[in-house]
Amino acid sequence: MKTRRRTFIKTLGAVSIAATVPGTACDKAPPVIGNGKMKLSYRTYDLQLKHTFTVSGFSRNTTPVVLTEIRYEGITGYGEASMPPYLGESQESVVNFLKKVDLGQFNDPFMVEDILEYVNAIDVGNRAAKASVDIALHDLMGRIVNQPLYRLWGLNPEKTPMTSFTIGIDTPDIVRLKTEEASRFKVLKVKLGGGNDKEMISTVRSVTDVPLYVDVNQGWKDKHMALDMIHWLNERGIKFVEQPMPKTQIDDMAWLTENSPLPTIADEAFQRLSDVAIFKGVYSGINIKLMKSTGLREAHKMITVARALGLKVMIGCMTETSCAVSAASQLSPLVDWADLDGNLLISNDIYEGMKVIAGKVTLSDLPGIGVKKLDLNVE
Ligand code: MG
């Protein structure tokens, strides 16, 4: 396999030189890869959560995922779809979607735009399913040229942000315990909107004075009450407020953002690239997640559009293995804030990749999305 990778790189290098030397430039670039076919495979897997996870609206102990692989000429790229219930996808819907994906018609994994345009057009929705193909394809591409994605995108791995660790809604005793357990993180994200907001913050603050992010998950229905809470939070070291109000209350959100002393961040209010343009003046920023954006390709475009609109950018995740979390972390040098703790919330991760070191997102130097599979026998 190593020999093959070296051949790919050598061939790519030759193309690059040929394209820049006068007299040797080709009218048509020679193929840089073999004539193999891509093969997509997948299997379902249930993530076990270390703690019952409670946000405004529901609790759960497991998260269903589908793990994907794309093989091409002996090299395998890894991907993942995670389906928390509120997004409306399931293992069944993802498998049904993936059954329709025929990557055998493509013999160049670098034609990512064409391949993902085809995948996107198969059906509407199915964002996590589409992300599982996008992630595996980007991983495959990086592995073929033996480079991490952040390098292919021209990003500085030193510029990764701190990541927050999430404290779910719970009783003061449990919140205190979880906060103590999270002492290695330099910033925490506290879930609010469960009717005990001030108790949640006061309990966390009784343990730590690190900066806090707050995620209300649409839990505040009244804009005046929301503004009062944000003023209260502003005096307690909170840095921003994520999805404070229901996604449908757009005028209320615009009023809140205009009057809020803290940035407001959209999460449930949007999914994909085309949703971002309406947010200028409604929110201060957006929380991009690969399971909403259909993967890395569109997430990268969303960051560009958000910057053009003057919006702040956060990158987050669902409860996921280190596969999808590591994929998202490859883009993190471009964002203001990261909430990439989904792999740390589970007890049966089967990948190793991005690490949190001294609270900071730390990218591995492995190629592609930067992961290693830990257990080859998991079914
Ligand atoms: Mg959120």
Side-chain angles (χ1 to χ4, degrees), residues 53 55 84 86-87 127 161-166 189-191 213-218 240-244 253 263-273 275-277 279 282-295 298-303 305-307 311-320 328-329 331-332 334-342:
F53 195 70
V55 298
Y86 79 96
L87 287 180
R127 289 178 292 271
M162 295 286 172
T163 179
S164 54
F165 182 80
T166 300
K189 182 160 115 172
V190 183
K191 293 285 191 179
Y213 307 154
V214 153
D215 188 355
V216 190
N217 292 109
Q218 313 186 74
F240 64 76
V241 180
E242 189 179 326
Q243 202 62 59
M253 255 324 301
T264 60
I265 306 297
D267 184 3
E268 288 90 331
F270 81 107
Q271 312 283 351
R272 299 195 58 178
L273 180 63
D275 303 325
V276 177
F279 284 159
V282 180
Y283 294 90
S284 318
I286 58 171
N287 183 358
I288 297 171
K289 296 174 180 171
L290 300 188
M291 297 304 141
K292 298 193 300 181
S293 71
T294 69
E298 192 156 313
H300 191 269
K301 293 175 183 177
M302 287 164 90
I303 295 172
V305 168
R307 292 305 188 198
L311 295 170
K312 294 284 192 184
V313 178
M314 171 181 183
I315 194 154
C317 60
M318 307 300 174
T319 312
E320 301 164 347
S329 70
L331 289 174
S332 70
L334 287 170
V335 308
D336 300 293
W337 304 297
D339 180 33
L340 295 172
D341 62 350

Side-chain angles (χ1 to χ4, degrees), residues 33-40 70-72 97-111 113-122 133 137:
I33 49 163
N35 290 315
K37 301 286 187 198
M38 279 179 281
K39 185 168 174 12
L40 173 69
I70 300 177
R71 285 185 70 76
Y72 178 81
F97 181 86
L98 295 177
K99 276 180 189 166
K100 298 178 204 160
V101 178
D102 173 21
L103 296 185
Q105 63 189 290
F106 300 99
N107 62 9
D108 182 350
F110 289 83
M111 301 289 276
E113 294 282 344
D114 284 8
I115 297 167
L116 295 180
E117 191 180 322
Y118 153 74
V119 171
N120 188 50
I122 289 173
V133 179
L137 191 57

